[in-house]
Amino acid sequence: MRRLELEGLKIEVFDTVPELVARAAGRLFDVLRTDPEAVIGLATGNTFIPFYDFVATGYRRAGISFEQSVTFNLDEYLGIPRESEGSYHTYMDRNFFSKTDIVSENAHIPDSNPADPEGEAENYERLITRSGGIDVQFLGIGRNGHIGFNEPGTSFDSRTHVTDLSASTIESNAPLFGKGKIVPHRAITMGIRTILDSRKIFLIACGEEKSSAIASTFTEGRMTESVPSTALKLHRNVTVLLDKPAAKSLL
Ligand code: F6R
């Protein structure tokens, strides 16, 4: 592993995805070993599939339990049943919740079909605050630099809110919904300020398709709402874990 520090953010670059995943999972296990009641912010997407696989397979051996922990997912699509193939409820049940000892009442994801989406977003934000805030937040990054579903142009002061997904996000995520299925165009996402309030943040990116988002994030002195990931420069405890193709522009 190679360590760098750029723009106040710690970076770790790994030769392989399995090495990266083992490191990220190890950091999560460390948090839970120190504080079994930790509040954990979770992400979905392709990047996190091997991560959850590693965590679910290894957590007992690592001597930790999720029984007392609380989790908050970053986001969920709007306007689909929670059981839809592409929903983040389905993703989390399949990849993580069903494979660990997490207590379902402690595992939070925004409702995918609320009567009042804005009210649901406000309640979600309130629930995070009431839980004492997020101790450690895991993030992926979109090809356009989004974090959570905070698309380019989102205010750095945003809290959990309803958002319209960009065309590139809809296109990237369409395969998850299966052939011919309608891909939602709206979502509820934690806001950028919600994410920045987390005490510790890990951002994970793998593959060359993320290299330009990573390059934009680390452009010297650049902090702009048109690249949401640049907001991470406002935080004092961020570690970015990259494989070599994603880190291409930094090496
Ligand atoms: C998912 C999320 C998104 C993804 C990002 C990368 O909960 O918040 O920001 O992390 O779109 O997705 P993948 O890993 O599929 O490239």
Side-chain angles (χ1 to χ4, degrees):
M1 181 240 290
R2 187 164 156 199
R3 283 177 215 272
L4 312 167
E5 182 149 355
L6 288 173
E7 298 285 287
L9 305 174
K10 290 174 273 213
I11 305 170
E12 298 178 353
V13 183
F14 299 83
D15 286 336
T16 67
V17 173
E19 284 170 73
L20 184 160
V21 160
R23 171 77 172 165
R27 301 300 296 266
L28 172 60
F29 295 160
D30 289 345
V31 168
L32 284 162
R33 221 171 269 126
T34 318
D35 177 10
E37 296 178 13
V39 179
I40 308 160
L42 296 174
T44 54
N46 290 324
T47 311
F48 279 87
I49 290 177
F51 170 81
Y52 289 124
D53 187 41
F54 190 100
V55 171
T57 315
Y59 77 100
R60 287 194 198 277
R61 214 176 320 122
I64 63 114
S65 163
F66 290 95
E67 242 176 337
Q68 297 176 66
S69 69
V70 174
T71 65
F72 285 95
N73 267 75
L74 279 165
D75 41 22
E76 175 58 293
Y77 294 105
L78 270 176
I80 53 168
R82 57 175 286 165
E83 308 75 29
S84 301
E85 185 57 25
S87 81
Y88 288 160
H89 280 86
T90 298
Y91 174 106
M92 291 306 295
D93 285 340
R94 187 175 289 161
N95 292 297
F96 185 56
F97 298 153
S98 67
K99 296 182 175 170
T100 62
D101 63 351
I102 192 149
V103 177
S104 56
E105 298 82 74
N106 294 341
H108 305 284
I109 307 181
D111 189 351
S112 63
N113 215 357
D116 171 12
E118 275 80 17
E120 168 68 10
E122 279 167 32
N123 281 339
Y124 199 72
E125 181 77 25
R126 222 171 289 129
L127 203 55
I128 294 172
T129 309
R130 250 191 264 133
S131 303
I134 293 170
D135 292 306
V136 56
Q137 175 69 55
F138 287 86
L139 295 176
I141 185 170
R143 284 182 294 177
N144 60 5
H146 73 213
I147 50 175
F149 273 146
N150 293 288
E151 299 286 26
T154 307
S155 164
F156 285 177
D157 280 327
S158 52
R159 298 274 169 195
T160 305
H161 62 282
V162 174
T163 184
D164 291 319
L165 299 173
S166 73
S168 82
T169 300
I170 293 166
E171 186 202 311
S172 312
N173 295 359
L176 287 168
F177 285 85
K179 244 191 166 156
K181 293 271 158 52
I182 292 163
V183 185
H185 288 205
R186 291 204 311 160
I188 290 184
T189 181
M190 282 186 203
I192 293 183
R193 183 56 55 194
T194 319
I195 292 170
L196 293 177
D197 280 349
S198 313
R199 291 175 192 98
K200 194 189 287 225
I201 297 176
F202 293 105
L203 182 140
I204 300 180
C206 300
E208 196 169 343
E209 64 184 49
K210 298 294 169 67
S211 64
S212 83
I214 293 299
S216 305
T217 307
F218 288 100
T219 304
E220 205 182 325
R222 188 162 194 219
M223 217 189 291
T224 166
E225 288 175 356
S226 62
V227 184
S229 54
T230 59
L232 297 173
K233 295 176 190 179
L234 294 167
H235 196 279
R236 289 295 106 217
N237 196 351
V238 179
T239 305
V240 179
L241 294 94
L242 304 172
D243 70 350
K244 277 191 169 157
K248 200 171 84 174
S249 66
L250 311 179
L251 299 173

